[in-house]
Amino acid sequence: MPHRWGMAADLDRCNGCGACVVACAAENNISTVGAEQAALGRAKHWIRVERYWEGEFPDVRLKFRPVMCQQCDNAPCEPVCPTYASHHTDDGLNAQVYNRCIGTRYCANACPYNVRFFDFFNPSWEKPLQLQLNPDVSLREVGVMEKCTFCVQRIKAVTVQVAAEDRELKDGEITPACVQSCAAKALVFGDLNDPESEVSRLSHSPRGSKLLEDLGTLPKVTYLPRDTEA
Amino acid sequence: MDRRSFIKLTAITGTSATLASCGNPENALIRFVPDDEIVPGIAVWKPSVCPLCSAGCGLTVRVMDADAEVVRNGQAGVVRIAAAKKLEGGPLHPISQGGLCARGQAAIQVTYHPDRITQPLKRSGTRGDGQYEAITWDAAIAELLSRLDALAAAGNQKALAFATRAGSSHRHALVDQFLARFGAPGPVSFELFGDQVLRRANALSFGREQLPTFDLPNARMAISFGADFLGTWNSPVAQAAGYGQMRKGRPGIRGAFVQVEARMSQTGANADEWVPATPGTEGVLALGLAHAILAANLRPAAAAGRAGTQIDGWAAGLADYAPAAVEKVTGVAASRIERIARDLAERSPAVAMVGGAPLAHTNGLFTALAVNALNALLGSVEQPGGLFFTPRITLADGAAAPAAPSIEQLASGILGGSNAVQVLLVDGSNPVFTTPTAWKVSEALAKIPFIASFGSFLDETSGMADLILPDHSFLESWIEAVPESGSIAAVASVAPPVMRPLHQTRAMPDVLLDVSRRLATPVALPWETFDQMVGATFMKLAPAAAGGDAWGDAQAQGAWSGALPAGLASPPSVTEETPQPVPEPRFDGDAAQYPFHFLPYPSSAFLDGSLAHLPWLQEMPDPITSAMWSSWVEINNTTAERLGIAQGDIIEITSTQGTLRAPAYVSPGLAPDIVAMPVGQGHRMFTRYATGRGQNPVSLIAPLTEASTGAVAWAATRVKIARVGGPDGSLIMFAGGDREHPYEDLGRG
Amino acid sequence: MSTSSPALPASEQVRSDLLRPLLQTSWKFYVLVAFLGAIVVAALAAWVTQMTLGFGISGIRWPVYWGFYVTNFVFWIGISHAGTLISAILRLVNAGWRRPVTRCAEVITAFALIIGAMFPLIHLGRPWLAFWLFPYPSERMIWPNFRSPLVWDFFAINTYLTGSLLFLFLPMLPDFAIVRDRATGMRRRIYGVLALGWRGTPTQWHRLETAMQIMAVAIIPVAVSVHTIVSFDFSMAPVPMWQTTIFGPYFVAGAIFSGIAGLIIAMAILRRVLHLERYLHPVHFQNLGKLMLVMALLWGYFVFNERLVTYYGNGASEMQVFWRTQRLTFAPLYWTMVVCNFVLPLVIMGISRFRTITGCVIASIGVVIGMWLERFLIIVPSLGHKYLPYSFGTYSPQPVEIVITVGTFAAMTLLYVLFAKFVPIISIWELTAVQHPSPALIPPATAEHPLGETHA
């Protein structure tokens, strides 16, 4: 059976620290756009920790919610792309083929989660910052849409290794950068087709829900809300 | 065209094209011999230690081949090197446990920073303007030697001062040993957000002068008085890991969490119950809780032991701290105090934490002692689910250098003429940026005849140096830390260099050892190299397996952890002194003229500003405001409405110390009489990414201190505010909206 | 108005009047062409700059990934409905008054389409790869994604453009022949080629008649489908206030609406500049004005329908966009649009006293502005306020987008000016019905719609 990658975010563990945000930039060669471009709304954060205020002082609460590509099974970004740059892989990922992207940005408009980011300029790294670039992740040129891939390069590395060793994949063996960095272990990644995996268990938790579930996008990221009772 | 001429023509064009490409300047670059240890395309993982804060998290570093432009023997060229690619938390490290904070993730940019100082520099312009010329290492060390020799020749060794960051590591121990044997006072360390008050209180209450470690995974309730323990305080990665366990790590048990603070921090945002108390009264609230526990006979007063004796009236049940009285002082409802107190007593084990703003008042010690007593009353000291003190390792034999003056005393001594410092060495510390203006540190430094810095970057302090001896980055040198907290068992981190140095830099500890040997009167230090010194400690530690080698194991894993052999543990600090701290805080600025409490706080990205040069951290949205590349002032939304201040409007904040202007972030998450501002931006000189960006709130802080420690009472300043203009675009936000359902009221109206 | 049989201008008079622009060239023409040409060149330079420096010099941003360019695209495709659709319908119902109007209208279609079709290119992140939209057999056998509305757009616009050009060109044949017959030298040869050997034989007239009937019938569904498919670009995406079944007819109605307005403005300018008062009468404006009034009512109905359904349905994400446009940031633009598209045409066109040429032009200018705003207000507020408030964003156009937008208006004018210079902008043969061998092609001159009458 093919794998079906999924993620679960336990908001009772997530404390909003933002480590995943920087880990993602480090792993995926996401270029820093600088203050001027950031002010124009061009900052690229494949994963972001949304925060929402609730109530008024002194009865005020703040909610954190990490949002990355939800890798929808019924992804609105896919059918709208005229060149198949945005398409569905066999293991359920919403792949973005950078080379095939012509930059209509239609996919990003169709995405209800706003997790697609456009390269408004050719990315640049002031020397020697380019030494940090991950050779496993391609750079994106101007005019291309980029997005969270569930760290497909890490998935591939492990699945190829597992195939070479002719064994079963172990749960937790693959960790995307955000999952790896999370000290509180709020993010869990794994194979949804493996009923024993931690992510399967959390995805079927009665606490779980999907983001914007009623749109019918069938996301593969499950959110477990913050508890209020001990 | 016949076949012959076609072939000829092809040959000619082909040759000329080849020749032309030979003329490309890129091809003229010299390729140096590559690192032989690296296989192209294959990643190896090596241990390291995060140097950015004192938590001492262990790292694992992904190393792969890369083409680096380097200078070798004065000639530029390209070399294939084994380059660090990504930092992750060391999976087996007892503190980071595989996790890493945002700052740690960005630490790699320290190594690859485009504005890193690449070779020794000598000042060529006027002091502070950042004009330098390159010199050789030989010349640089000779210059330093001549200055130190001159001091020794004049018998004036006391005129050497050494400024470092606070922390506990062999590096600090080496500096201390060097100074002691040279005859100079010990290192001057200053941390704006240092925890001297808490260390002092812990020494008084528990006999341990260090920060505590919390056993959150086993706690059933945690109450934090202002401690941003999930963000910036103490050992955030270890605490975040523990917090995750406390919440969801045990089937059927979810630890409760209450946060007491006047401005909602990232940590406070996660609390089940967020309790805003009047600033400076957190200790009173802690004793109010203790009173309620005692009054309900949930715990005996004697349970607090020594920590209780530090509090006036403890044995008598804290008669002055009845809930109604506490409500008047703190603004927290009496019924709420009683409820939380009952919860704390019943949900055992429960632990109390204190840190940050509550201790940055003139009554900080009182507050810390009060929370310590509460902890002791709850029975959480050195108990599962409570707080622990990591056993400390003695790092170097030999007498320590005599205690140095504080940076404040140093500056006033220099300016007052009582302390004629001749030579100042600076290592990783930037007191010009982080000290209150009234201390005049910058002016004092200007009077020192010779300043040398080991810094990798030009900042406000190293920019005043006459000589710069740039250090390796942590990935290029031996790196170690002996964390004072974050692990219940003793822990020491160490790692050999991950990669070869990119630039013409030298490791500061080795430079110091080199200098000590080459002085006219050599300073006798028992180590040839720094790793020898570190190794000497590790050799004494118990190996993980019998017949093993703790030093070898530690290098392979990045850390050693375990039980300390007798004789290697630092003794508990015993202090007989019993100060009588005052419960009432003092504030700078008259409440009528300056109606707002000013609350600077360490920014999630930059801590005290020492990380503002890292572009990833500049572009990381702040957890609360989502601001990037910005400074801002947080102000309560009802207050803002009253003063006609909207999001992004420029407001002017004035204290008795000065004035600054910054954009407003209007938020419901802080008390109406508070304005809060993150520290970290406002650098006058700190690389291309931070220079001239935002405002430094430290410039408004009044020079009030906590009496017994001399720590800056950075939360004790009062200010007034005024709107001076509309948005100027300087507040750059990632988020578009603050509320999940923004227009509910419009629908109803 | 006279009810007696009108005195028609002599055929020769018609010819000399309508051919005058082709034969006489004043210095004003050159100044105008130079001025408009400069703006067009500036716009092209802006586009080249955008490709060279990066798309970032525009105001597009996360999450508002479409802005002025797509607004202009929809706007110009909308304007293109002026012509073909109007003239085809009028031809089919054989409305007599349409004779001097049809060509003006059809030219608008052709040029507006060409300009509109530029925008999908201009807005691409990597326009040099735009050919990937063509279904060509590449060596890797990668075809365009036929599920994407953008690919449907590609086909719909190409079809419509081809049809419109044919529809414009066919009835020009007899006029080219007239010019050919009067011209000399190089001109004679060029117009000779363009006339495709038109001799005016009964067979040719019969074939022309048949072709025009087929084209008129065929072009109407194509025109309707084009703007429906343009509306699909929006309504197929799960974006609040986009995903609605009303968008197809709403867009088609809006397109015809703005098309009529564009036509009225073009006619008024031609009438003034080329002194065509004898051919373009107030009655033409009045009739188009009445048509515009109908479309204004229809547009108002659609907007009311769309807004009421949203409001009553009270879906959380829709309401975020709803309030943004109705009451908050975009309210000034929104209410300007309502005034321009509904209040203004209703008042001016609804009261016969105001239904003068000036009145029609004022209302039309309002409608053009209003319809441009309508497209902007469909695109930007929805994209900027899509579901998760943390990801809300604003949009403000940058100079490059403004220059290109202005440039397209200049390009439209320039193309129109050049066309009117080289081709009789009013169909000569349709006005000189007397000599016409195939009277069936020419609608009857009725008492209400006399031909050639000069109104004082």
Side-chain angles (χ1 to χ4, degrees):
Chain A
M1 185 158 50
H3 299 293
R4 197 166 149 265
W5 308 115
M7 198 181 278
D10 192 334
L11 304 182
D12 215 7
R13 284 177 180 260
C14 174
N15 64 53
C17 71
C20 47
V21 177
V22 181
C24 178
E27 172 71 19
N28 291 299
N29 298 338
I30 304 172
S31 57
T32 308
V33 300
E36 290 72 23
Q37 288 299 309
L40 292 170
R42 272 78 177 274
K44 294 173 284 186
H45 294 298
W46 290 5
I47 182 170
R48 60 177 183 260
V49 184
E50 297 195 343
R51 60 92 186 86
Y52 294 111
W53 292 104
E54 285 174 1
E56 292 295 340
F57 182 87
D59 297 317
V60 59
R61 287 171 69 89
L62 193 63
K63 256 170 58 173
F64 291 121
R65 180 168 63 205
V67 177
M68 71 304 288
C69 174
Q70 307 286 304
Q71 310 286 351
C72 308
D73 276 340
N74 192 6
C77 57
E78 288 168 1
V80 299
C81 176
T83 58
Y84 284 118
S86 173
H87 77 102
H88 215 68
T89 67
D90 291 341
D91 46 0
L93 298 178
N94 302 124
Q96 178 74 5
V97 185
Y98 303 129
N99 285 344
R100 185 67 184 164
C101 177
I102 61 172
T104 66
R105 306 183 296 288
Y106 199 175
C107 54
N109 288 347
C111 174
Y113 308 98
N114 282 337
V115 290
R116 293 176 153 263
F117 296 89
F118 190 64
D119 281 290
F120 286 92
F121 293 100
N122 266 321
S124 66
W125 284 268
E126 281 159 300
K127 285 179 182 176
L129 280 174
Q130 88 286 354
L131 287 178
Q132 184 271 331
L133 294 175
N134 183 353
D136 295 346
V137 178
S138 56
L139 304 181
R140 284 75 63 178
E141 79 164 10
V142 64
V144 166
M145 195 58 80
E146 59 180 59
K147 65 176 268 289
C148 161
T149 64
F150 268 1
C151 284
V152 66
Q153 67 280 6
R154 292 183 174 215
I155 296 175
K156 283 286 170 220
V158 175
T159 48
V160 166
Q161 186 70 29
V162 164
E165 292 170 11
D166 196 21
R167 61 175 171 87
E168 290 288 302
L169 179 78
K170 291 192 290 260
D171 188 32
E173 200 171 350
I174 303 174
T175 52
C178 53
V179 177
Q180 197 287 328
S181 72
C182 185
K185 308 230 179 312
L187 298 173
V188 176
F189 178 84
D191 185 356
L192 292 171
N193 276 349
D194 171 7
E196 302 300 313
S197 69
E198 177 76 356
V199 72
S200 284
R201 193 181 64 74
L202 291 171
S203 297
H204 293 114
S205 158
R207 278 171 69 211
S209 68
K210 307 279 197 274
L211 197 53
L212 304 177
E213 200 160 10
D214 50 347
L215 294 177
T217 51
L218 306 179
K220 282 198 284 293
V221 179
T222 302
Y223 289 90
L224 302 140
R226 205 155 97 181
D227 277 357
T228 45
E229 285 303 310
Chain B
M1 195 190 295
D2 63 12
R3 187 173 50 88
R4 252 162 221 262
S5 53
F6 174 78
I7 291 169
K8 267 186 208 157
L9 207 63
T10 315
I12 291 165
T13 10
T15 317
S16 37
T18 318
L19 288 172
S21 66
C22 288
N24 282 351
E26 292 93 321
N27 296 352
L29 284 177
I30 295 160
R31 272 198 175 268
F32 294 119
V33 182
D35 276 356
D36 48 7
E37 73 224 45
I38 195 82
V39 182
I42 303 295
V44 290
W45 294 84
K46 296 184 179 181
S48 188
V49 182
C50 178
L52 299 188
C53 78
S54 52
C57 291
L59 302 175
T60 176
V61 184
R62 186 174 193 236
V63 182
M64 286 182 87
D65 64 305
D67 280 343
E69 289 169 25
V70 293
V71 177
R72 291 279 187 270
N73 305 323
Q75 195 162 21
V78 175
V79 64
R80 173 148 297 183
I81 58 165
K85 291 289 179 184
K86 184 161 190 302
L87 310 184
E88 293 184 353
L92 300 174
H93 196 276
I95 291 178
S96 47
Q97 300 163 48
L100 194 60
C101 71
R103 300 175 292 273
Q105 296 278 351
I108 193 168
Q109 294 194 319
V110 170
T111 303
Y112 297 135
H113 201 288
D115 290 337
R116 234 182 105 184
I117 300 170
T118 58
Q119 59 192 343
L121 299 175
K122 189 177 161 59
R123 179 162 67 82
S124 63
T126 52
R127 189 174 256 189
D129 70 357
Q131 297 298 311
Y132 287 89
E133 61 187 20
I135 56 169
T136 63
W137 270 104
D138 287 344
I141 288 180
E143 168 90 17
L144 180 59
L145 283 170
S146 75
R147 297 287 180 161
L148 295 178
D149 282 340
L151 288 187
N156 191 17
Q157 287 94 333
K158 289 199 166 21
L160 169 65
F162 200 117
T164 66
R165 301 209 64 160
S168 89
S169 66
H170 289 86
R171 187 187 180 104
H172 287 89
L174 175 66
V175 169
D176 192 70
Q177 288 295 306
F178 173 82
L179 295 173
R181 295 176 198 211
F182 184 75
V188 182
S189 65
F190 174 77
E191 294 287 325
L192 176 63
F193 298 113
D195 294 290
Q196 303 99 300
V197 176
L198 184 56
R199 288 193 188 91
R200 185 103 187 112
N202 286 347
L204 292 167
S205 301
F206 309 123
R208 303 295 309 214
E209 185 152 16
Q210 70 183 95
L211 293 179
T213 301
F214 303 101
D215 183 21
L216 292 174
N218 291 312
R220 289 195 59 206
M221 182 161 180
I223 181 166
S224 155
F225 295 85
D228 183 20
F229 68 93
L230 298 172
T232 55
W233 181 74
N234 197 352
S235 193
V237 174
Q239 284 152 188
Y243 171 81
Q245 289 294 101
M246 178 181 92
R247 289 299 210 183
K248 278 283 168 281
R250 297 161 292 181
I253 301 175
R254 176 178 185 269
F257 168 36
V258 176
Q259 178 89 352
V260 180
E261 60 189 357
R263 173 231 165 223
M264 188 178 275
S265 63
Q266 177 219 322
T267 300
N270 295 287
D272 300 312
E273 188 167 351
W274 183 69
V275 183
T278 307
T281 68
E282 293 85 353
V284 174
L285 181 61
L287 293 184
L289 293 168
H291 170 96
I293 291 170
L294 292 171
N297 284 324
L298 296 166
R299 303 264 168 187
R306 175 173 167 178
T309 62
Q310 303 290 330
I311 307 292
D312 271 353
W314 181 271
L318 294 169
D320 296 345
Y321 297 94
V326 172
E327 174 176 349
K328 255 182 224 147
V329 178
T330 63
V332 181
S335 56
R336 196 176 194 185
I337 296 168
E338 285 170 334
R339 181 169 48 76
I340 295 173
R342 195 169 310 113
D343 277 356
L344 283 170
E346 286 170 359
R347 287 171 176 268
S348 187
V351 67
M353 297 175 248
V354 63
L359 304 187
H361 287 285
T362 55
N363 67 343
L365 189 67
F366 164 78
T367 304
L369 290 172
V371 176
N372 281 350
L374 176 64
N375 256 324
L377 179 66
L378 292 169
S380 60
V381 182
E382 305 273 358
Q383 293 299 319
L387 63 85
F388 288 82
F389 292 99
T390 308
R392 308 299 303 277
I393 304 169
T394 308
L395 297 184
D397 305 321
S406 71
I407 190 94
E408 179 193 9
Q409 291 159 344
L410 185 80
S412 66
I414 292 169
L415 291 170
S418 61
N419 186 355
V421 173
Q422 296 295 308
V423 175
L424 172 70
L425 304 182
V426 183
D427 177 34
S429 151
N430 186 2
V432 174
F433 182 78
T434 52
T435 48
T437 320
W439 286 3
K440 296 191 184 335
V441 170
S442 179
E443 290 87 333
L445 258 51
K447 287 199 152 191
I448 298 174
F450 181 75
I451 302 176
S453 161
F454 297 100
S456 295
F457 298 95
L458 282 180
D459 59 24
E460 289 82 354
T461 302
S462 64
M464 295 181 77
D466 304 286
L467 184 66
I468 295 177
L469 304 135
D471 192 6
H472 285 334
S473 97
F474 67 105
L475 294 173
E476 299 163 340
S477 59
W478 282 88
I479 177 79
E480 47 75 48
V482 187
E484 71 172 309
S485 62
S487 163
I488 293 174
V491 57
S493 311
V494 68
V498 164
M499 56 187 280
R500 294 190 190 176
L502 280 181
H503 305 301
Q504 307 294 301
T505 54
R506 287 189 189 177
M508 173 270 183
D510 287 327
V511 170
L512 203 59
L513 285 166
D514 190 29
V515 165
S516 71
R517 282 189 296 269
R518 287 164 59 179
L519 283 168
T521 321
V523 166
L525 287 167
W527 313 286
E528 281 292 308
T529 56
F530 181 55
D531 52 301
Q532 235 179 45
M533 175 195 184
V534 179
T537 306
F538 279 83
M539 302 288 199
K540 289 183 248 171
L541 298 170
D549 158 22
W551 176 226
D553 294 351
Q555 286 182 61
Q557 294 185 5
W560 171 92
S561 181
L564 283 182
L568 205 57
S570 294
S573 46
V574 181
T575 162
E576 291 308 322
E577 153 199 26
T578 46
Q580 293 297 319
V582 273
E584 289 79 26
R586 276 193 305 119
F587 292 95
D588 179 82
D590 174 47
Q593 198 190 346
Y594 298 99
F596 293 92
H597 289 285
F598 184 58
L599 177 66
Y601 63 92
S603 88
S604 297
F606 313 131
L607 299 178
D608 62 354
S610 55
L611 309 181
H613 59 320
L614 303 183
W616 279 342
L617 296 179
Q618 285 279 3
E619 197 151 305
M620 177 182 87
D622 177 74
I624 304 292
T625 61
S626 89
M628 306 172 283
W629 299 94
S630 307
S631 273
W632 64 90
V633 181
E634 283 169 43
I635 179 168
N636 176 280
N637 51 356
T638 49
T639 308
E641 200 174 327
R642 181 165 59 78
L643 299 175
I645 295 169
Q647 185 91 301
D649 282 356
I650 302 304
I651 57 179
E652 185 174 81
I653 314 178
T654 308
S655 74
T656 57
Q657 304 297 306
T659 282
L660 65 78
R661 289 177 177 201
Y665 176 77
V666 178
S667 141
L670 73 172
D673 60 344
I674 286 181
V675 290
M677 191 171 174
V679 175
Q681 300 277 29
H683 281 278
R684 212 181 62 245
M685 180 195 289
F686 196 28
T687 80
R688 65 188 71 181
Y689 301 111
T691 303
R693 184 168 299 291
Q695 299 294 327
N696 181 8
V698 180
S699 64
L700 297 186
I701 295 175
L704 289 181
T705 55
E706 194 285 318
S708 66
T709 56
V712 195
W714 46 262
T717 307
R718 288 184 152 276
V719 293
K720 59 182 175 187
I721 62 174
R723 183 184 181 279
V724 291
D728 66 354
S730 63
L731 179 61
I732 302 169
M733 311 259 286
F734 187 59
D738 283 343
R739 304 249 175 190
E740 195 162 16
H741 307 290
Y743 311 129
E744 282 174 329
D745 47 336
L746 270 181
R748 280 188 224 106
Chain C
M1 187 181 287
S2 164
T3 51
S4 61
S5 188
L8 298 173
S11 300
E12 271 314 303
Q13 178 68 44
V14 173
R15 285 186 187 173
S16 69
D17 278 356
L18 297 182
L19 289 176
R20 195 190 317 119
L22 279 68
L23 304 172
Q24 295 169 9
T25 312
S26 87
W27 61 271
K28 288 178 190 162
F29 171 79
Y30 294 111
V31 170
L32 184 64
V33 168
F35 174 68
L36 294 171
I39 298 177
V40 173
V41 168
L44 286 173
W47 186 27
V48 171
T49 314
Q50 176 179 290
M51 281 193 278
T52 322
L53 296 183
F55 201 82
I57 64 169
S58 72
I60 303 292
R61 54 162 289 170
W62 177 76
V64 188
Y65 281 123
W66 288 352
F68 262 35
Y69 296 148
V70 175
T71 302
N72 287 334
F73 164 68
V74 183
F75 172 79
W76 283 112
I77 301 287
I79 291 287
S80 78
H81 282 56
T84 311
L85 195 62
I86 294 163
S87 95
I89 292 169
L90 294 181
R91 270 183 204 280
L92 283 179
V93 301
N94 223 354
W97 58 273
R98 59 103 181 138
R99 280 186 281 170
V101 175
T102 44
R103 187 164 298 157
C104 303
E106 288 156 12
V107 176
I108 293 181
T109 298
F111 292 151
L113 260 183
I114 290 167
I115 289 169
M118 293 278 288
F119 277 101
L121 281 183
I122 295 171
H123 103 122
L124 277 192
R126 303 202 291 176
W128 47 92
L129 297 176
F131 66 92
W132 286 351
L133 285 170
F134 286 77
Y136 68 97
S138 73
E139 74 270 30
R140 291 187 173 187
M141 298 307 286
I142 304 172
W143 295 89
N145 179 4
F146 291 104
R147 295 183 300 166
S148 169
L150 293 185
V151 174
W152 310 342
D153 261 354
F154 175 78
F155 289 108
I157 291 171
N158 277 335
T159 311
Y160 189 41
L161 184 60
T162 315
S164 302
L165 288 176
L166 276 178
F167 195 62
L168 169 69
F169 188 66
L170 283 177
M172 287 194 328
L173 291 178
D175 282 358
F176 281 138
I178 293 168
V179 183
R180 174 197 64 197
D181 296 345
R182 297 194 158 202
T184 52
M186 182 62 113
R187 274 195 196 179
R188 189 183 174 88
R189 262 188 280 160
I190 292 172
Y191 284 102
V193 170
L194 287 171
L196 297 180
W198 180 266
R199 288 279 171 269
T201 63
T203 322
Q204 283 179 333
W205 279 115
H206 181 69
R207 285 187 183 149
L208 181 64
E209 180 190 1
T210 314
M212 287 307 293
Q213 287 294 335
I214 293 171
M215 284 309 298
V217 172
I219 204 81
I220 292 174
V222 174
V224 170
S225 77
V226 166
H227 229 69
T228 307
I229 287 172
V230 166
S231 85
F232 285 174
D233 288 348
F234 304 99
S235 55
M236 293 289 166
V239 174
M241 302 283 288
W242 279 14
Q243 204 168 35
T244 154
T245 53
I246 207 174
F247 261 28
Y250 180 24
F251 270 53
V252 173
I256 299 170
F257 189 26
S258 63
I260 295 168
L263 177 57
I264 289 175
I265 295 170
M267 277 168 48
I269 295 172
L270 289 174
R271 182 173 189 269
R272 167 71 63 90
V273 175
L274 301 182
H275 307 293
L276 299 178
E277 289 84 355
R278 259 203 272 193
Y279 304 94
L280 297 172
H281 300 165
V283 68
H284 296 125
F285 290 88
Q286 284 161 7
N287 285 348
L288 285 171
K290 285 177 193 161
L291 202 51
M292 192 162 76
L293 177 62
V294 172
M295 298 316 294
L297 289 167
L298 197 55
W299 182 89
Y301 163 74
F302 275 124
V303 171
F304 174 72
N305 187 337
E306 182 206 27
R307 294 273 142 181
L308 182 70
V309 169
T310 303
Y311 180 69
Y312 198 89
N314 199 28
S317 51
E318 258 96 21
M319 290 311 283
Q320 287 169 0
V321 180
F322 181 87
W323 289 124
R324 276 281 158 175
T325 46
Q326 211 79 16
R327 298 256 294 266
L328 301 168
T329 336
F330 292 97
L333 292 180
Y334 177 81
W335 293 109
T336 308
M337 169 189 84
V338 170
V339 169
C340 285
N341 279 355
F342 192 69
V343 180
L344 202 64
L346 212 62
V347 171
I348 297 180
M349 298 295 102
I351 300 169
S352 59
R353 194 152 48 86
F354 296 153
R355 218 183 295 137
T356 60
I357 294 181
T358 320
C360 286
V361 169
I362 291 170
S364 296
I365 291 172
V367 170
V368 167
I369 294 169
M371 284 309 294
W372 193 92
L373 285 176
E374 187 223 65
R375 275 65 188 254
F376 183 81
L377 289 169
I378 285 172
I379 294 165
V380 172
S382 284
L383 291 179
H385 303 87
K386 202 168 71 183
Y387 298 112
L388 302 174
Y390 187 89
S391 65
F392 281 4
T394 55
Y395 164 78
S396 55
Q398 294 302 304
V400 63
E401 292 159 292
I402 295 167
V403 169
I404 289 179
T405 303
V406 171
T408 58
F409 283 88
M412 183 72 200
T413 319
L414 179 63
L415 289 171
Y416 216 91
V417 165
L418 293 176
F419 184 87
K421 178 72 203 157
F422 296 113
V423 180
I425 195 67
I426 291 176
S427 181
I428 297 174
W429 65 270
E430 290 193 83
L431 288 186
T432 52
V434 181
Q435 297 133 328
H436 204 283
S438 180
L441 272 178
I442 307 299
T446 62
E448 290 78 24
H449 301 133
L451 279 173
E453 184 186 354
T454 310
H455 290 260

